[in-house]
Amino acid sequence: MGAGSLGTIIGALTAKNGGDMVLIDAYQDHVDALNEKGATVIGKLELTGVPVKAITPQQMEGIYDVVILLAKQTYNDVALAQLLPHLGPDSVVCTLQNGVPEEAVAKIIGRERVVGGIVGWGASFRGPGVSELTSDVSAMRYEIGELDGRNTQRIQAVAGLLSLSGACAVMDNLMGTRWSKVIQNATLSGMSAALGCTYAQILDDDKAVSCAAWVGNEIVQLVRRRGIQLEDLVPGWSYYSLAFDDEAGLRRASQWLRDYFKPHRPLKASMLQDMEKGRPCEIDHIVGICSDWGRRLGVATPVCDTIIQIVKDYERGAIPLPTFACLDRFALPALS
């Protein structure tokens, strides 16, 4: 549900590899194109006209066994209300949304139905029926888990479904996985939204990549204060590498980001894509939760705060769509 940039690719690969999946999306032209021409994937993977079944939410029928939830969190109230009549007592909803959405989803559909996880790759919606894979195929991974960390039959069933479109691992530390993905998104996606640019432009600019490193450092301080153990989303790549307290550490963290995000350089944040289309973006759910927790815990988050201010200024019409010139609004804390 929410078969946009990611969902189109997941649907195409699932169908190609013999799975049974219905793509649900509110964009009628997209649904029509998927049914009439099939799903097309361009970029790092090329698939043309893969036959899929697509419907709008109003066309949902019966009870769904497994739902992969990819709608933007900004539409949760509407999307989950539409979905609820089609969930039975044994239905399971796996939210792969950005941020940490499990509790919000559980309040609407019931905690007993919710599992969660993260998507380790990126894509861009290119038009009805067409999505561009902007990450390397080798990066197509999922990490999913039960809220209580158990390895259940149903989480294995969800893993089996997702494995048709990428490698899928079942995790026993969902919140550690979630907050690692928050770091991944808030650093580069947050800066992409604030500067109106691709990941490559951030990684190739010393100040911009330093800002992204500061975002990572701020979030590491938050999760340490909360007692959350971060998981390595990519083996051998620890998000604790983004913690620093001096200039040498900042340089190491910046280089870590350049190396880590090398396979994703062409990517442009989905938040920025929404802003370009005049739609509400997920800034509150990706970067905003970091600032919120900073206020609760007394941890300063000045770079996260600046990202939010720029995006909010745009959303209320105070500035045009952000450009790289917005980098001047970031004042980085002093280090020894």
Side-chain angles (χ1 to χ4, degrees):
M1 188 170 197
S5 57
L6 297 176
T8 298
I9 297 175
I10 292 172
L13 287 170
T14 300
K16 180 176 179 290
N17 292 319
D20 181 16
M21 177 179 284
V22 177
L23 302 182
I24 307 168
D25 199 82
Y27 184 16
Q28 185 70 61
D29 289 349
H30 181 45
V31 169
D32 291 343
L34 289 171
N35 287 322
E36 294 167 8
K37 301 177 182 178
T40 294
V41 181
I42 61 175
K44 299 287 187 174
L45 178 67
E46 294 188 4
L47 297 170
T48 302
V50 179
V52 294
K53 180 182 178 182
I55 62 174
T56 63
Q58 292 74 24
Q59 295 173 306
M60 288 190 290
E61 295 179 344
I63 300 298
Y64 293 110
D65 301 314
V66 176
V67 178
I68 305 301
L69 184 62
L70 281 165
K72 298 294 176 67
Q73 280 206 66
T74 47
Y75 300 111
N76 266 2
D77 288 348
V78 172
L80 293 175
Q82 293 169 327
L83 182 61
L84 194 55
H86 303 282
L87 299 177
D90 297 322
S91 298
V92 57
V93 176
C94 179
T95 170
L96 298 181
Q97 298 164 298
N98 289 322
V100 188
E102 283 78 11
E103 291 302 325
V105 173
K107 286 180 182 178
I108 299 175
I109 67 168
R111 187 178 180 87
E112 71 282 358
R113 291 188 176 115
V114 178
V115 301
I118 61 100
V119 181
W121 48 278
S124 295
F125 186 73
R126 292 305 182 205
V130 183
S131 185
E132 179 184 1
L133 177 64
T134 49
S135 297
D136 290 346
V137 173
S138 61
M140 296 186 74
R141 297 179 304 275
Y142 309 94
E143 285 84 24
I144 63 173
E146 293 275 4
L147 302 189
D148 60 8
R150 292 181 301 137
N151 190 348
T152 62
Q153 185 175 352
R154 71 177 188 175
I155 200 67
Q156 289 295 335
V158 176
L161 177 62
L162 288 172
S163 68
L164 296 174
S165 57
C168 186
V170 173
M171 312 293 287
D172 60 7
N173 177 17
L174 181 59
M175 285 302 103
T177 302
R178 272 291 187 192
W179 276 93
S180 290
K181 184 60 184 292
V182 168
I183 292 178
Q184 180 174 299
N185 280 343
T187 50
L188 270 289
S189 293
M191 290 301 297
S192 173
L195 300 181
C197 67
T198 65
Y199 285 13
Q201 290 169 278
I202 298 163
L203 298 171
D204 291 343
D205 183 272
D206 287 342
K207 181 178 179 181
V209 75
S210 293
C211 290
W214 267 104
V215 171
N217 181 61
E218 291 172 5
I219 301 173
V220 170
Q221 307 317 312
L222 292 175
V223 297
R224 281 176 166 165
R225 186 74 66 89
R226 294 186 62 198
I228 294 172
Q229 179 68 36
L230 294 173
E231 295 286 343
D232 295 353
L233 301 185
V234 179
W237 293 84
S238 171
Y239 288 95
Y240 291 108
S241 299
L242 295 174
F244 56 85
D245 54 15
D246 57 22
E247 287 289 349
L250 172 57
R251 288 192 295 272
R252 287 192 296 270
S254 297
Q255 187 58 49
W256 187 93
L257 287 172
R258 288 184 168 116
D259 295 338
Y260 181 87
F261 283 100
K262 187 176 181 180
H264 310 282
R265 284 176 58 84
L267 193 61
K268 181 166 64 173
S270 61
M271 289 188 290
L272 176 56
Q273 295 177 53
D274 285 336
M275 293 161 66
E276 291 172 337
K277 297 169 185 172
R279 298 174 182 169
C281 79
E282 294 184 288
I283 192 69
D284 292 333
H285 305 288
I286 294 175
V287 185
I289 58 171
C290 307
S291 291
D292 289 345
W293 274 105
R295 286 189 289 271
R296 293 188 211 181
L297 300 173
V299 175
T301 57
V303 183
C304 285
D305 297 346
T306 302
I307 291 172
I308 296 165
Q309 290 164 6
I310 292 171
V311 173
K312 293 293 187 180
D313 283 350
Y314 166 71
E315 290 185 334
R316 64 185 178 86
I319 63 171
L321 188 71
T323 68
F324 214 81
C326 290
L327 188 60
D328 291 341
R329 292 183 58 170
F330 288 85
L332 298 181
L335 288 169
S336 58

